[in-house]
Amino acid sequence: MSSDPLVIFTPSGKRGRFPVGTPILTAARQLGVDLDSVCGGRGICSKCQVAPSYGDFPKHGVHVQPGALSEWNAVEERYDRVRGLKEGRRLGCQATVQSDVVIDVPAESQVHRQVVRKAASAKPIVMDPATRLVLVEVVEPDMHEPSGDLERLRDALAEQWGIARVTASLPVLQGLQPALRKGGWQVSVALHQPAGSDDCEILGVWPGLHEAGLYGLAVDLGSTTIAAHLCDLADGRVLASAGIMNPQIRFGEDLMSRVSYAMMNPGGDREMTRAVREAMSTLATELATEAGIARSLILEAVIVCNPVMHHLLLGIDPVELGQAPFALATADSVTLGARDLELATIAPTAKVYLLPCIAGHVGADAAAVALAEAPDRSEDLVLIVDVGTNAEILLGDRSGVLACSSPTGPAFEGAQISAGQRAAPGAIERVEIDPGTKEPRFKVIGCDLWSTDPGFAEATKDTGVTGICGSGIIEAVAEMRMAGLLDASGLIGSEEATGTPRAEAQGRTHAYLLHDATEAGGPRILVTQGDIRAIQLAKSALYAGARLLMDKRGVDRVDRVVLAGAFGAHISPKHAMVLGMIPDAPLDKVTSAGNAAGHGARIALCNRSERERIERTVREIRKIETAVEPRFQEHFVNANALPHAVDPFPELARVAPLPQVHFGASGGGEDGARRRRRRARAEARERSPETD
């Protein structure tokens, strides 16, 4: 094995060994990492900025020492002096490898930036915001009846609007007197009043009639991506939507990796807290700029997130969430000031509301999905699956709702896949394979043409075909199963067994060649046996969680399935069912809810009564902890097969009968079956939060 240092890039997950002294930019280019540079490595353009991370990274199996990169050189010092580098950043063309290192490529340094596919839902929302604007006439001061301006404003609010109890923070007091006098004692007042409360807080005061509006942020803080919608608090309109990668990904791709990082690196939790708060501040600025509004008019934010993100955002060490009994610091909703979260790019008086968490591994994002999809009001039994790095699953109807989370890992996001990448222009997102010829065709993000259509090469010349994202690998594996390239155990057949030279030998296993662009200087994109295994593990965890809830409910079938989340919106029900990601159901009963968590955040932002409702609802949801349920491992092992080793899929058989093929000596026989079951049980134990 090479003794050269290991260089790991995030968020792509690509890695390789390089001799000491290799520039980071050179390593990135050789691995196909999306790192920009236009100046030829002279340290002029600043496009190749990277952020090294230090400490223990158990998932990557490395310890990164402070001297993992070369010291700053004269080029970096000059650039920092003249134009400035963000704290912790290096120039990839100047910093060289000295020992094992983890390198984060920020979004602004990527040529093909991540497509965060979390668009706002068009579902209507009843408006009843906690923050509203009122116009008030205030009595002028009288030296014969001395009183303060705030006191007379309180009296006016009580008389004209029936608001009895009012408070104001120091920033409001500092601007109150100028606003009153400029407005001729008529002012517009932004009031924050939770549902069911008589207490109001003044968040802002403007002279006269304030016509610029008030705005709020609905934020879906995911472990991989952060998506936000900027909303008008008067009518709920979404003025701008945007998303960025969660910078915490450099500390670990999944939640337990980040908990481990905090455990093993003193101050690691504070690093991750600072990173996510800075990212949210940056996102707020981008949204305000896009919408053409002043950031100071953003007076409220609603945030939904999983429990680990919840604690890290609040600056709470998540160590207790990494071990039984997975205790939350608080499960209730949280309301606090933007200043408490150091969100400096919105109004200093702005209020932040976090939805309640359901359990130690079922967070406020699942509560937001429950708010948006209302399983507790459903007449039929509905299974809602929010697909992500950590999947949240809800099962219920009017008689009750159950919830759990399942550790699917990052494979559905394109990580842990040999040619995997995040969703970005040039990434394969759709795949079809002809069952007869075994030939593929595909679509990439940013182009509407199939790869077999005339003009595809011209249409994709700027982006190229760069890799395969989460939805692409799901469809590729399912299509391979339907085309007879893959057997039920997940083994890829040889060229002789499948009848296509695209089935290439790779040592003792095989891989399927999806695309070869080497003649044009591009990559060879294969689906390897390791890729199949990563998808099997992810989908097994997802199915096992759903099946566990069905066991608790005492049912073998559900009436309908809802796929939630940005990823869920981009996979077809048929492909999901071929893999056995979800229980068997009629395909017309499998629908997508899009970014349900984000929509739930918007509901809570625009309707304070809905906050009260979800706070009551989450206390009534029955939580199932997969880590301590013995049958989870049993379900996980059985779900390793494609689509399943035991459960029948009659609805799937009607629309997509699967070929009965078996590949390799280990593909059949009791010995091979026993080996696969032992391996699956071991992997099920490894994916349990208790053992992460």
Side-chain angles (χ1 to χ4, degrees):
M1 180 182 292
S2 172
S3 59
D4 289 335
L6 179 64
V7 182
I8 302 168
F9 287 94
T10 64
S12 68
K14 294 183 178 179
R15 61 178 61 201
R17 293 191 177 275
F18 297 90
V20 170
T22 302
I24 292 299
L25 180 59
T26 300
R29 285 172 171 169
Q30 291 185 19
L31 290 174
V33 173
D34 195 13
L35 179 58
D36 202 358
S37 178
V38 298
C39 72
R42 292 177 292 162
I44 298 172
C45 71
S46 81
K47 299 290 187 182
C48 66
Q49 289 186 33
V50 295
S53 297
Y54 303 98
D56 285 306
F57 296 86
K59 281 287 184 180
H60 297 310
V62 297
H63 173 79
V64 182
Q65 301 173 345
L69 293 183
S70 58
E71 296 290 335
W72 273 46
N73 63 17
V75 174
E76 288 178 297
E77 289 175 356
R78 184 184 70 246
Y79 184 87
D80 186 46
R81 185 174 64 253
V82 175
R83 299 179 63 181
L85 274 173
K86 287 185 179 179
E87 185 179 356
R89 294 281 181 88
R90 298 292 302 273
L91 295 182
C93 62
Q94 303 299 315
T96 62
V97 177
Q98 301 300 310
S99 60
D100 293 350
V101 66
V102 175
I103 297 290
D104 182 58
V105 181
E108 58 268 32
S109 298
Q110 298 172 20
V111 181
H112 306 115
R113 295 195 181 184
Q114 165 90 8
V115 178
V116 180
R117 302 192 282 192
K118 294 190 176 182
S121 168
K123 294 179 181 178
I125 298 175
V126 176
M127 295 300 297
D128 179 25
T131 300
R132 60 191 174 112
L133 195 67
V134 297
L135 186 65
V136 185
E137 297 279 352
V138 181
V139 175
E140 295 185 37
D142 185 341
M143 63 185 301
H144 299 293
E145 296 181 15
S147 66
D149 286 348
L150 177 60
E151 287 68 37
R152 292 195 311 283
L153 175 58
R154 283 176 176 156
D155 292 341
L157 286 167
E159 180 183 347
Q160 298 166 36
W161 292 95
I163 299 169
R165 300 209 300 253
V166 178
T167 60
S169 63
L170 181 58
V172 170
L173 285 175
Q174 290 168 338
L176 177 59
Q177 291 191 317
L180 283 168
R181 284 149 183 82
K182 185 176 180 180
W185 307 103
Q186 183 186 72
V187 289
S188 296
V189 181
L191 296 172
H192 179 81
Q193 184 176 23
S197 173
D198 294 329
D199 295 327
C200 269
E201 182 176 349
I202 299 174
L203 303 185
V205 181
W206 294 269
L209 180 63
H210 176 72
E211 297 183 293
L214 301 180
Y215 305 93
L217 292 173
V219 183
D220 178 8
L221 172 55
S223 54
T224 302
T225 57
I226 308 172
H229 307 299
L230 178 64
C231 304
D232 190 321
L233 291 179
D235 55 20
R237 284 182 303 125
V238 176
L239 304 180
S241 298
I244 57 175
M245 295 295 295
N246 186 333
Q248 291 179 345
I249 201 166
R250 67 177 181 265
F251 303 104
E253 290 182 323
D254 58 72
L255 298 176
M256 288 303 110
S257 294
R258 294 179 203 176
V259 173
S260 296
Y261 184 84
M263 288 177 174
M264 301 177 70
N265 297 277
D269 58 317
R270 294 191 295 275
E271 281 185 84
M272 290 186 280
T273 293
R274 183 169 56 252
V276 76
R277 289 178 177 180
E278 288 176 356
M280 288 182 61
S281 293
T282 299
L283 191 54
T285 300
E286 290 180 4
L287 288 167
T289 301
E290 181 182 341
I293 68 162
R295 294 175 300 178
S296 60
L297 295 179
I298 301 176
L299 287 175
E300 192 166 12
V302 169
I303 302 172
V304 302
C305 48
N306 61 58
V308 173
M309 291 296 97
H310 176 278
H311 279 36
L312 288 173
L313 175 66
L314 294 176
I316 300 170
D317 191 332
V319 61
E320 292 297 331
L321 296 174
Q323 55 197 5
F326 315 113
L328 289 155
T330 178
D332 289 339
S333 64
V334 177
T335 301
L336 65 168
R339 288 174 297 173
D340 297 325
L341 295 181
E342 300 172 340
L343 300 180
T345 60
I346 62 178
T349 57
K351 307 298 288 186
V352 178
Y353 175 83
L354 278 74
L355 268 68
C357 291
I358 296 176
H361 283 116
V362 188
D365 48 357
V369 172
L371 180 57
E373 294 301 309
D376 55 311
R377 297 177 175 179
S378 176
E379 296 294 343
D380 54 3
L381 187 62
V382 57
L383 178 74
I384 304 171
V385 183
D386 192 352
V387 188
T389 306
N390 195 64
E392 283 83 24
I393 307 170
L394 301 169
L395 175 69
D397 54 19
R398 285 186 177 275
S399 66
V401 178
L402 298 93
C404 74
S405 69
S406 211
T408 52
F412 288 153
E413 302 282 352
Q416 299 178 343
I417 304 300
S418 60
Q421 65 167 87
R422 307 296 177 188
I428 295 173
E429 63 171 343
R430 296 286 315 281
V431 177
E432 290 182 356
I433 299 176
D434 187 297
T437 65
K438 316 298 185 192
E439 286 296 301
R441 67 173 192 157
F442 54 82
K443 281 186 174 182
V444 300
I445 296 174
C447 179
D448 292 330
L449 299 175
W450 286 92
S451 58
T452 51
D453 291 340
F456 175 81
E458 178 66 21
T460 58
K461 68 178 182 180
D462 291 336
T463 63
V465 180
T466 55
I468 186 165
C469 67
S471 60
I473 192 65
I474 288 294
E475 294 202 3
V477 176
E479 288 284 325
M480 289 172 66
R481 180 71 181 93
M482 290 189 287
L485 295 160
L486 192 66
D487 68 15
S489 73
L491 284 176
I492 302 173
S494 65
E495 177 179 352
E496 294 74 20
T498 61
T500 175
R502 288 185 175 272
E504 301 182 357
Q506 287 195 337
R508 297 176 63 183
T509 63
H510 296 86
Y512 177 74
L513 179 63
L514 190 58
H515 177 64
D516 187 352
T518 50
E519 289 188 5
R524 295 181 90 242
I525 298 173
L526 298 105
V527 179
T528 68
Q529 193 64 63
D531 298 338
I532 302 295
R533 194 67 194 144
I535 292 300
Q536 282 179 288
L537 293 176
K539 77 94 178 180
S540 295
L542 191 65
Y543 188 89
R547 198 68 186 80
L548 195 61
L549 295 187
M550 293 165 67
D551 286 350
K552 296 294 182 180
R553 185 62 187 255
V555 299
D556 290 320
R557 291 177 63 84
V558 298
D559 296 318
R560 58 189 177 95
V561 179
V562 176
L563 297 173
F567 179 76
H570 288 86
I571 55 175
S572 74
K574 183 173 79 170
H575 290 102
M577 207 168 288
V578 167
L579 291 187
M581 288 175 60
I582 55 176
D584 189 61
L587 289 186
D588 62 352
K589 295 296 184 180
V590 182
T591 59
S592 170
N595 183 20
H599 185 63
R602 285 178 56 216
I603 293 173
L605 176 68
C606 296
N607 191 310
R608 56 185 177 160
S609 299
E610 290 295 299
R611 299 182 189 183
E612 279 194 315
R613 184 175 78 80
I614 196 59
E615 288 170 8
R616 292 192 305 270
T617 300
V618 297
R619 302 286 80 88
E620 298 168 357
I621 293 175
R622 182 183 173 193
K623 304 91 179 175
I624 306 299
E625 182 53 68
T626 58
V628 296
E629 287 288 341
R631 292 209 69 190
F632 180 81
Q633 289 191 24
E634 178 187 338
H635 288 312
F636 185 94
V637 171
N638 287 331
N640 266 225
L642 303 172
H644 200 275
V646 178
D647 292 351
F649 275 67
E651 297 292 345
L652 175 63
R654 291 189 182 97
V655 295
L658 302 178
Q660 299 301 308
V661 293
H662 301 279
F663 300 126
S666 64
E670 185 58 29
D671 288 344
R674 278 197 295 266
R675 284 195 297 272
R676 289 194 298 277
R677 285 195 293 269
R678 285 196 299 269
R679 182 176 63 179
R681 288 191 188 98
E683 287 163 338
R685 288 192 295 271
E686 288 176 1
R687 297 179 86 80
S688 167
E690 275 194 300
T691 57
D692 266 342

